[in-house]
Amino acid sequence: MTDYTRSTAAEIAAAIASGETTSVAVTQAHLDRIASVDSAVHAFLEVDAEGALAAARAVDDAFAAGQSLGPLAGVPIAVKDVVVTKGLTTTAGSKILQGWVPPYDATLVTRLRAAGMPILGKTNMDEFAMGSSTEHSAYGPTHNPWDLERIPGGSGGGSSAAVAAFEAPLAIGTDTGGSIRQPAAVTGTVGTKPTYGGVSRYGLIALASSLDQAGPCTRSVLDAALLHAVIGGHDVMDSTSIDAPVPPVVEAATRADVSGMKIGVIKEISGEGFQPGIKKLFDQSVQLLVDRGAEVVEVSCPSFEKGLAAYYLILPSEASSNLAKFDAMRYGLRVGPEGVDSPSAEQVMAATRDAGFGDEVKRRIILGTYALSAGYYDAYYGQAQKVRTLIARDFERAFEQADVLVTPTAPTTAFKLGEKLDDPMAMYLNDVATIPANLAGVPGMSLPNGLADEDGLPSGFQILAPAAKDERLYEVGAALEAALLAQWGGPILDKAPALAGKAGM
Amino acid sequence: MADAVVDYDEALATYDPVMGLEVHVELGTATKMFCGCATGFGAEPNTQVCPVCLGLPGALPVVNATAVESAIRIGLALNCQIAQWCRFARKNYFYPDMPKNFQTSQYDEPIAFEGYLDVELADGSTFRVDIERAHMEEDTGKSLHVGGSTGRIQGAEYSLVDYNRAGIPLIEIVTKPLVGAGERAPEVARAYVAALRDLLKALDVSDVKMEQGSMRCDANVSLMRKDADAFGTRTETKNVNSLRSVERAIRYEISRQAALLNDGHNITQETRHWHEDTGITTSGRPKSDADDYRYFPEPDLVPVAPARERVEELRTTLPEPPAQRRKRLQSDWGYSDLEMRDVINAGALELIEQTVAEGATPAAARKWWTGELARRANVEGRSVDDFGVTPAYIAELDGMVRGGRLNDSMARQVLEGVIDGEGSPTAVADARGLELVQDTGALEAAVDAVIAANGPIADKVREGKLNAAGALIGQVMKEMKGQADAAKARELILAKLTS
Ligand SMILES: [Zn+2]
């Protein structure tokens, strides 16, 4: 009997559509896998077995009735806990939302449900998506399936770890500065951040509104394209959503042809100063693309070095405003101040925010409040917005010379849990290669390109494309993936150590 | 406790008042500013809400296109320039009625700016109020504090919040500092708010009901010593909600600030609350330029960029400006300035226009609406609107007078019947048997009898003193129990005595 937890989403969908298996069987297999390994991985904050199986049954009934359904019908999926799900607890990894059950679905969740995709549960994340290691979750860290002592990347470590640990074939992540791509890199999975506005933000608990973007976490480039096509497209509930059809991502992933394409290597982020094994794998990947007919050009993006600084002004500024609604009055946690008989609303708010927000969140709220305050706005937020414009211009110039740009996704492989917790700056540096895409709104993808020599841990290869040209990520990604699979003789996740499973694998 | 005040005229002898008026107007759109919730007034609390206007985590705003068009029309009617491109901003502060703890508003990029409104004063002169800006924002919810004696939060056991109003579109219209109004400052303020109300009503963008809070005025007042060249420190009296209060509150602030300045004190920059019952303002929250709302462009909304062609299209939908319309109607109707002012003060312009449209003469329409009906409304402390008297009824009444069926005093009786709910003028006249006697034989007999009985008066008329005929007409009316046609009686008397 086939173990569908090891299959890609495309394979699962085909097996369900052909009657070889059922959505209930596949969903149950994943629920079993979660029960078996998640105590070690802690990818999930909430598992909704009942809801997932009910959705699976509905798909099976629809197939039995001869209905034709979408290309991912019946394939179960996990959703990052920053995305609101009606009737299913949503906390954004924060204590302040402990037990909050939203009365509505995010638009992308509505689309998943309409596509017949059972929702397995909600995945762990850094609190309000602030972090690069999933250690800032109020509910404890997620562990990297490659080495349980290591971080799974952040902020969406739960989604990528669930996919890497075969607990879910697909997951939804959100990427504000690299939170889909960076965890994908350190867990050996594929992660795409679509063009800003390509997937509706309606129902995403906002971190930084102008940077946030939801996207797919998968084990193959084709799966990412299929999921992208399900969740993408215009939404009247999000005025920043792009009013145009989803780019032809599935066609591009199927075609996988880079002959004649110009691949731009960004001089400033081409592996200098990165972990040697990562630099080596990056160069090898570029060569594989050349072997398949691509042309390599070197491009310069001098403003990128200011990107990190700009990002860490814009993000906290917007976050400080977005998080102001958590005031203990209408939903979520409410804590009374100690030793006060009849506390004022302000005292309750202060006590709740003190108890409900973690250190990293408090740090960024204070930073953002300061950066927006009168007299400092121009020096900080205003300057950061100018840098943002410069970075967008760098991209424009670079895309005049190349069809796509490539970089290593993260400077290092997964570091040890706790290793950088006391050094926020070192932590922030993890996103140095991914942040420019968020600042400029362009799409990006990370796919696994090997295991670093020095530690045998996964490395990620980042592809960036011009805004609204998401299909190029899939064209190049699928071509590189095919070359790498041929080299490895199978998926890279097959090389990961088996997780000690109660159910036994 | 009331502050010391000085006599208003004394204050004006020393100081020039400077005013800034901020008027908030709720737009009468069917749905809210950033979501599809209904905006109806008076619904059960929290029944017109959704994730967006409740500010639930994850919810996003989408701009109401109708509200933007209303804002543009208001801007155009106020002679403003319309921004080619503007953005919403977040105004960050904590407020219990505000679900997101920031208000989505416009800050340095208003949709309309640099306009003016000419305001007519009681003496017929015009004062130009310069408009700095008109911008869009969302309203907040409403709190109800339960358990205290005052209805305020202090002493309350708990508070209830109704978010039905949260997210209703607001336009805030801000004037430039108004200088040079002198002692007429309170009158100018009142006239401006009234003119704005008329304009918004004519634009059909709001129900502009001050008593329901759909139009509210914040009045900034400062005093400048006559020989000074810089503005003084201002206070902001919040949420004044009637025309009369606008005038009174500003008058009070002028007297209060003058008393402080005369005693060598400084004015504290603060918000103040107006108390309708006692006619004073009291200190609210200190307000300083350091109030830090941490404005930044709203990242959840795309900029608003109204197409020029659309703006010009909207310009063609503007109604005739109320002041211009009044001038036109006055000339059409042939009213004197005094008569026109009476009409406006009685708020009868629309009624008269409709009555004339129904066929009444402008003179009769004015006479009834500003005369008998206004008088009775005043006596009974009611509003003319409550009488159930329609313009069509008044036109019907006028037709009966002109057609010779009723004389003036009979028409008054008929109108009373209409007000008392006895039906249309014709129905009332029929029921009460009111009709001028058309039988010339009966009239002639009455005239002969009166001449015979009043020899000395008849002689005066014969000598050419025609005014004396009036007394005879009165006698004829009396003889015929009021049902005679006075004009015909006069004609007959003169024919018999002077031919
Ligand atoms: Zn709503």
Side-chain angles (χ1 to χ4, degrees), chain A residues 314-338:
Chain A
I314 292 168
L315 181 142
S317 296
E318 293 186 9
S320 70
S321 171
N322 283 329
L323 295 181
K325 65 177 59 166
F326 298 99
D327 60 4
M329 293 301 141
R330 292 168 300 264
Y331 42 77
L333 190 70
R334 181 180 294 185
V335 175
E338 257 177 74

Side-chain angles (χ1 to χ4, degrees), chain A residues 104 201 203 321-322 324 327 330 374, chain B residues 57-59 90 92 99 101 292 300:
Chain A
Y104 77 108
R201 287 188 297 115
S321 171
N322 283 329
D327 60 4
R330 292 168 300 264
Chain B
R90 287 191 187 174
N92 292 283
N101 282 326
D292 190 353
D300 285 330

Side-chain angles (χ1 to χ4, degrees), chain A residues 291-302:
Chain A
D291 295 346
R292 292 206 149 209
E295 186 190 330
V296 174
V297 294
E298 192 184 66
V299 300
S300 176
C301 295

Side-chain angles (χ1 to χ4, degrees), chain B residues 247-449:
Chain B
E247 188 166 2
R248 289 172 72 206
I250 289 173
R251 201 180 166 90
Y252 176 82
E253 265 306 285
I254 291 172
S255 293
R256 186 188 71 86
Q257 290 186 18
L260 283 170
L261 293 172
N262 284 350
D263 286 352
H265 297 300
N266 289 323
I267 305 298
T268 310
Q269 187 172 340
E270 61 185 356
T271 61
R272 296 187 67 85
H273 302 296
W274 166 248
H275 303 276
E276 180 68 47
D277 45 353
T278 48
I280 64 167
T281 66
T282 54
S283 180
R285 175 176 79 83
K287 187 172 174 127
S288 68
D289 292 327
D291 271 347
D292 190 353
Y293 294 116
R294 304 190 312 281
Y295 285 101
F296 74 104
E298 168 59 270
D300 285 330
L301 290 171
V302 289
V304 177
R308 288 296 97 180
E309 308 81 69
R310 184 64 190 145
V311 171
E312 289 315 309
E313 251 173 64
L314 289 172
R315 198 187 293 279
T316 65
T317 69
L318 296 184
E320 186 180 15
Q324 193 176 316
R325 173 163 168 260
R326 281 197 294 272
K327 283 207 178 70
R328 176 177 59 78
L329 290 176
Q330 184 182 348
S331 140
D332 285 356
W333 295 342
Y335 290 176
S336 70
D337 288 350
L338 192 66
E339 286 169 341
M340 194 65 186
R341 209 167 306 148
D342 283 349
V343 166
I344 289 161
N345 288 341
L349 198 71
E350 273 76 29
L351 288 168
I352 290 173
E353 195 178 18
Q354 290 164 30
T355 306
V356 171
E358 295 282 352
T361 64
R366 181 181 63 76
K367 186 183 87 175
W368 290 116
W369 287 113
T370 64
E372 189 61 17
L373 283 162
R375 186 193 61 75
R376 194 154 158 193
N378 197 33
V379 166
E380 296 180 18
R382 297 163 72 184
S383 159
V384 172
D385 300 337
D386 297 339
F387 287 146
V389 177
T390 64
Y393 279 177
I394 297 299
E396 186 180 332
L397 190 66
D398 180 45
M400 290 164 80
V401 172
R402 284 189 291 137
R405 175 168 180 183
L406 301 176
N407 64 21
D408 199 61
S409 78
M410 291 161 89
R412 276 176 218 280
Q413 292 175 52
V414 168
L415 186 59
E416 270 170 35
V418 174
I419 290 170
D420 292 339
E422 293 168 24
S424 72
T426 306
V428 173
D430 287 350
R432 295 193 178 187
L434 291 168
E435 175 148 23
L436 286 174
V437 174
Q438 299 295 336
D439 176 356
T440 42
L443 183 63
E444 199 164 349
V447 167
D448 288 342

Side-chain angles (χ1 to χ4, degrees), chain A residues 68-126:
Chain A
S68 74
L69 300 169
L72 288 177
V75 181
I77 187 165
V79 176
K80 188 175 178 180
D81 203 34
V82 78
V83 181
V84 304
T85 41
K86 186 175 181 177
L88 189 54
T89 307
T90 301
T91 68
S94 180
K95 270 210 188 89
I96 211 159
L97 273 176
Q98 193 158 28
W100 182 57
V101 181
Y104 77 108
D105 270 333
T107 297
L108 78 84
V109 172
T110 305
R111 290 181 182 179
L112 294 178
R113 294 194 202 275
M117 300 177 69
I119 293 171
L120 294 166
K122 307 300 286 295
T123 58
N124 198 12
M125 56 183 286
D126 282 308

